[in-house]
Amino acid sequence: MMPSAGSRRRIATTATVLGTFALVAPPAQAAETAVPCDPTALVQAITDANATPEPDTLSLAANCVYTLTTVADATWNAGLPSIRGKLTVHGNHATIERAKDAPRFRIISNWGDLTLNEITIAGGHASDGAGTNSYGDANPGGSGGGIENWGPLTITDSVISGNTAGAGAPGTDATATTYAGRGGGGGFGGGISSYSSSQITLTITRTTITGNASGSGGPGGNGVAAKPGGRGGTAGFGAGVDALSGTVLRITGGTITGNSAGSGGKGGTGGAEGGGAGDGGGGGAAGGVFVSSSGGVLLNPAIVGATVSGNQAGRGGDAGVAGPGGYSGYSGYGGRGGGLGVFDDNLTLDEVKVSDNAAGEPGAGSYPLPASGGGILTLDAHVTLVNGAVVSGNLPDNCVSPADVPGCVNDFRTAEAHGPDQRAVAERAAVIRG
């Protein structure tokens, strides 16, 4: 029996579709490239990967230490060529580090889609700020001492250790016709600094982030005659990880410990004819992790099953020295959020312990504000604690605003045990927070 016209049409259509599928080649799969234990070979392997449009995979020599001594990408001051495409690096427990006596450069600048597995990124140092603007205010230090990120980034079973963001440049000294300039701000994200105007993901799993530092603020310029000294620069935020603007942060497992935000810059000296002292710059906030969205778009970052402990926000900068009869400068305020800082977003802490972190102390000078927010700093933000997440044992208190972190309790008895004046400090902090 012959098939009907409708059956014939269905058979023909099916055959055509199957034929079409048969003509479509599967996507090309790039071979995994083994990289010898040689930093020059690693630089060349990344250069070769950037030259092809297909995804690439590199496999590093097991337990090798790739020590970088010079910049491979001068545009972005990185020890490796900037990542431009989709690249996966299997570290096999290798380390990529900057030589201790090498010029200052970050390790990686990612503009592509980068995945790092079982690798240590260590010793990177973003450039310090240099020069000033037309007003004499100094330029900031570079961000992302270990990794400067602009695209999707996935890090698994790795270590980000001992990386530093750049310090701010010094402000210009006053002249007969100009005022002293302000010190430059310190760079953000000693370990990792991520920024994108569009949404990208920064996913960190079972990774240790330790011993990283954000940049210190630069000193203010000195006054002349009756002119005051310039203000010190504010230090950078997010010593371990800094995730800004469109970066959607997800941290699962691992530890964030022993990271330190930079100190505020010292105020400039007042002129010899009664010039006032420059104010000290603010210490860096968020010793562990700093997240901040922009434009009112909530990205809902999350940290799951990790430990955030032993991190330190930055000390405030000292005020400068006034000229004879000149006014004293204000103390630079200490950084807040020793463990975490969250601006303009909703952070979820799921089975996370935030403990033994410390806020920064104020610098020397007039009207020092007390240290506050050893655990978490919030600004127009909300932090949700779920599945036993706890914020405890931070100094001198746990949260700048407990109302933003339901379940966070400020136990000032912990602070009292560290000095006779801590009760007064705690009471003053409560008044400042309103």
Side-chain angles (χ1 to χ4, degrees):
M1 179 178 178
M2 295 292 293
S4 65
S7 297
R8 289 196 298 271
R9 284 194 296 270
R10 286 195 295 272
I11 292 170
T13 301
T14 301
T16 301
V17 171
L18 291 174
T20 301
F21 283 138
L23 293 173
V24 176
Q29 297 294 321
E32 186 168 312
T33 301
V35 181
C37 188
D38 176 2
T40 301
L42 176 58
V43 169
Q44 186 60 53
I46 295 175
T47 299
D48 293 343
N50 283 336
T52 64
E54 296 83 11
D56 291 277
T57 299
L58 304 181
S59 181
L60 306 190
N63 303 307
C64 173
V65 178
Y66 295 84
T67 302
L68 306 175
T69 60
T70 189
V71 168
D73 189 326
T75 301
W76 301 104
N77 193 43
L80 296 175
S82 295
I83 310 304
R84 294 295 173 178
K86 186 174 179 60
L87 177 65
T88 298
V89 180
H90 296 309
N92 299 309
H93 305 291
T95 295
I96 304 175
E97 66 174 16
R98 181 183 66 91
K100 292 180 174 57
D101 58 352
R104 292 181 172 178
F105 54 80
R106 61 177 54 88
I107 305 298
I108 296 172
S109 183
N110 175 45
W111 294 82
D113 184 344
L114 176 63
T115 297
L116 301 175
N117 299 318
E118 295 184 343
I119 193 166
T120 295
I121 302 296
H125 199 308
S127 299
D128 294 335
T132 64
N133 63 19
S134 59
Y135 299 99
D137 294 330
N139 292 321
S143 296
I147 302 174
E148 177 189 46
N149 184 58
W150 304 87
L153 173 61
T154 301
I155 303 173
T156 304
D157 296 324
S158 295
V159 177
I160 309 297
S161 174
N163 303 284
T164 305
T172 299
D173 292 342
T175 67
T177 57
T178 62
Y179 283 89
R182 179 172 180 168
F188 284 38
I192 302 169
S193 180
S194 182
Y195 176 90
S196 177
S197 56
S198 59
Q199 287 194 21
I200 60 171
T201 56
L202 171 55
T203 305
I204 303 172
T205 305
R206 297 185 302 275
T207 290
T208 298
I209 299 169
T210 185
N212 303 287
S214 64
S216 294
N222 296 319
V224 66
K227 292 181 179 179
R231 182 175 180 178
T234 300
F237 291 13
V241 178
D242 163 54
L244 300 182
S245 191
T247 301
V248 182
L249 178 66
R250 297 287 185 270
I251 298 177
T252 303
T255 59
I256 301 160
T257 184
N259 302 286
S260 302
S263 299
K266 182 178 180 180
T269 299
E273 298 174 15
D279 299 333
V289 177
F290 178 63
V291 294
S292 178
S293 65
S294 64
V297 178
L298 297 179
L299 301 179
N300 300 307
I303 303 177
V304 180
T307 298
V308 182
S309 67
N311 302 288
Q312 174 75 56
R315 182 183 183 274
D318 296 338
V321 177
Y327 57 80
S328 300
Y330 287 101
S331 159
Y333 57 84
R336 300 183 176 187
L340 303 169
V342 188
F343 289 3
D344 304 306
D345 216 327
N346 294 332
L347 171 66
T348 298
L349 299 181
D350 185 342
E351 202 176 354
V352 172
K353 184 176 183 180
V354 181
S355 65
D356 301 316
N357 304 285
E361 296 294 328
S366 300
Y367 305 106
L369 298 177
S372 175
I376 299 177
L377 165 67
T378 49
L379 179 64
D380 295 327
H382 186 85
V383 178
T384 301
L385 308 178
V386 299
N387 293 326
V390 63
V391 185
S392 66
N394 302 284
L395 290 176
D397 54 4
N398 291 315
C399 297
V400 170
S401 177
D404 293 339
V405 191
C408 180
V409 177
N410 280 338
D411 184 356
F412 295 115
R413 290 175 298 175
T414 301
E416 289 169 17
H418 287 76
D421 297 326
Q422 291 297 336
R423 180 183 293 275
V425 168
E427 291 173 351
R428 289 175 64 191
V431 170
I432 291 168
R433 291 194 302 271

